[in-house]
Amino acid sequence: MSVVGKVFRVGAVLGLMGWLAVVAVKYSLYPVSNSGPILVCLVLSCSFLLFCALAIWSFAVVVFIDPGSVEYVLKNLDRNPFIGSQTCPKCGLPKPPRCHHCSKCDRCILFMDHHCDFLGNCLGYRNYKALVLMYFY
């Protein structure tokens, strides 16, 4: 997927999530302030918006962070940590355990879970934590 397509997709999702957060605060938490203490409503609104912001940040991290490709590891290390491992028949790079070749991304991903078409990215070693946090928030 091109960078422009990924930015457009992320922008659309982030805009929708932000709009839903504002609507939720306005129509579900704001009426409580008319009948209850203002401090409680303020704490609820701020905590809700904080969790929305954290979910949006986690979504952006999952989409834009490299999922842990073998090329990334080999480029950032001065030595090859995968000596003695098998090689991938499709890309020819060393293939450590639990590494799989993604046919859509056309590269090997460390601890690959699956390729998510909604995110436009593989879920692997470097972005799996952000995905779990996004689900939590």
Side-chain angles (χ1 to χ4, degrees):
M1 174 178 285
S2 69
V3 175
V4 174
K6 193 177 274 194
V7 168
F8 178 73
R9 178 183 293 178
V10 170
V13 169
L14 295 182
L16 180 66
M17 290 173 79
W19 179 76
L20 287 173
V22 169
V23 168
V25 168
K26 182 174 181 172
Y27 290 110
S28 66
L29 296 178
Y30 183 72
V32 177
S33 66
N34 295 334
S35 62
I38 191 71
L39 184 62
V40 173
C41 295
L42 185 64
V43 168
L44 287 175
S45 298
C46 289
S47 61
F48 178 75
L49 289 176
L50 174 70
F51 280 114
C52 285
L54 288 172
I56 289 170
W57 177 258
S58 296
F59 176 78
V61 167
V62 169
V63 171
F64 286 115
I65 293 291
D66 179 58
S69 61
V70 175
E71 296 98 352
Y72 179 83
V73 173
L74 291 175
K75 181 176 68 173
N76 291 330
L77 293 177
D78 54 350
R79 61 179 179 81
N80 184 359
F82 310 124
I83 295 175
S85 61
Q86 300 173 347
T87 57
C88 177
K90 295 179 183 172
C91 62
L93 292 172
K95 188 174 179 181
R98 292 200 57 204
C99 176
H100 300 285
H101 188 88
C102 178
S103 59
K104 294 183 181 178
C105 294
D106 197 31
R107 59 186 175 166
C108 285
I109 307 294
L110 296 170
F111 298 104
M112 181 179 173
D113 191 310
H114 66 282
H115 181 90
C116 184
D117 289 327
F118 173 70
L119 300 172
N121 203 0
C122 287
L123 300 174
Y125 178 72
R126 292 190 62 222
N127 62 359
Y128 198 75
K129 176 184 174 184
L131 178 79
V132 172
L133 286 174
M134 182 181 74
Y135 288 156
F136 173 74
Y137 297 138

